[in-house]
Amino acid sequence: MNTAAETPAPGRLAVEIVAQDLDGVRIALAEGADRVELCTALVTGGLTPSAALIESAAGLARDAGREGFVHVLIRSRPGDFVYSPEELELMRRDAAHAIRLGASGAVVGALDRSGAIDLPAVAAFRDAAGAAEVTFHRALDLSSDPVAALADLAELGVARVLTSGGAARVSEGMPVLRALAAAGTGVQIMAGGGATPGDAAALRAVGADALHLSARRTLMGGPTGPGGGDSSYDATDAGIVRAAVAAARA
């Protein structure tokens, strides 16, 4: 069973930044974020990063004396969250490998064909993560009864959930976020999905524990050759991270 996540001080939101590269991790560290969700291909919703990126990001956090900083998204492909047995086994192994490489937590999610949370899959991910924290990601937003789903996840030892309250943006999901926070399961409620620093005050008011945001800006790179894709790419914006941390601690 995973160790429960440390609860933020009353009135203070933890801040989690999505990082797709080492520069993003460095910025999050420098600007005082509480942790990063490390992934790649965020334009698809995020995929599992490479082993080298995980190991390097964990090394940066360790050198900065920041235990618990790097949490790795475990998602083998874009698309829905209903996975084949082969995909689930691959993700279970990815979760275990991420922790061996130095990650402090795994960010997971899986649904069954009815749209309910795939509890056996989550249990397997939790076991693979060992004593590290497990976050259940926004697959929760597809649940018809998120409060009941939250109770099931609590039984499995999940430390926190990432949710927009079932809405396109957290600003539109406040009633569900309030209900999740009021459920008293001990699972941290981390609000994410179109979130901005300006959402911090409202999230504190509904009882959320953390603010999750990509804090990104788009950069234009040089020309790419045939098959190289779009020359633009996302980068972590230090100013947005700084504003989110300030708003969360106001």
Side-chain angles (χ1 to χ4, degrees):
M1 187 70 69
N2 292 351
T3 302
E6 181 180 351
T7 302
R12 177 193 181 279
L13 294 174
V15 175
E16 180 176 280
I17 300 298
V18 180
Q20 299 185 83
D21 51 34
L22 292 181
D23 281 345
V25 176
R26 290 189 186 97
I27 289 169
L29 284 165
E31 299 298 339
D34 294 278
R35 56 182 172 266
V36 295
E37 180 196 275
L38 191 67
C39 69
T40 59
L42 186 56
V43 68
T44 71
L47 298 175
T48 304
S50 72
L53 180 54
I54 296 169
E55 186 173 39
S56 298
L60 288 176
R62 183 173 57 252
D63 291 346
R66 299 292 302 279
E67 293 185 11
F69 193 77
V70 177
H71 294 242
V72 174
L73 177 63
I74 305 299
R75 186 174 179 229
S76 62
R77 59 159 172 78
D80 63 26
F81 301 117
V82 181
Y83 299 106
S84 69
E86 185 176 52
E87 288 171 329
L88 290 172
E89 173 59 14
L90 177 64
M91 292 164 67
R92 185 196 66 78
R93 291 168 58 192
D94 272 340
H97 194 46
I99 302 308
R100 286 195 296 270
L101 289 169
S104 299
V107 182
V108 305
L111 304 175
D112 64 24
R113 294 197 177 278
S114 74
I117 292 174
D118 187 339
L119 296 175
V122 177
F125 297 150
R126 177 209 62 203
D127 291 346
E133 290 184 353
V134 170
T135 299
F136 191 88
H137 62 49
R138 290 190 60 197
L140 180 69
D141 289 329
L142 299 177
S143 172
S144 61
D145 190 343
V147 174
L150 183 68
D152 289 336
L153 292 170
E155 287 293 323
L156 289 176
V158 167
R160 69 179 60 83
V161 294
L162 170 61
T163 173
S164 66
R169 306 177 67 86
V170 296
S171 58
E172 301 163 0
M174 294 295 176
V176 173
L177 291 168
R178 183 187 296 276
L180 292 169
T185 61
V187 177
Q188 287 187 15
I189 308 304
M190 178 164 60
T196 70
D199 293 315
L203 291 173
R204 277 196 297 270
V206 300
D209 298 296
L211 170 65
H212 166 104
L213 68 169
S214 59
R216 55 182 164 162
R217 58 193 171 102
T218 300
L219 301 179
M220 293 302 298
T224 61
D230 196 328
S231 63
S232 64
Y233 61 96
D234 291 333
T236 304
D237 188 303
I240 299 175
V241 177
R242 189 178 311 124
V245 171
R249 297 174 181 172

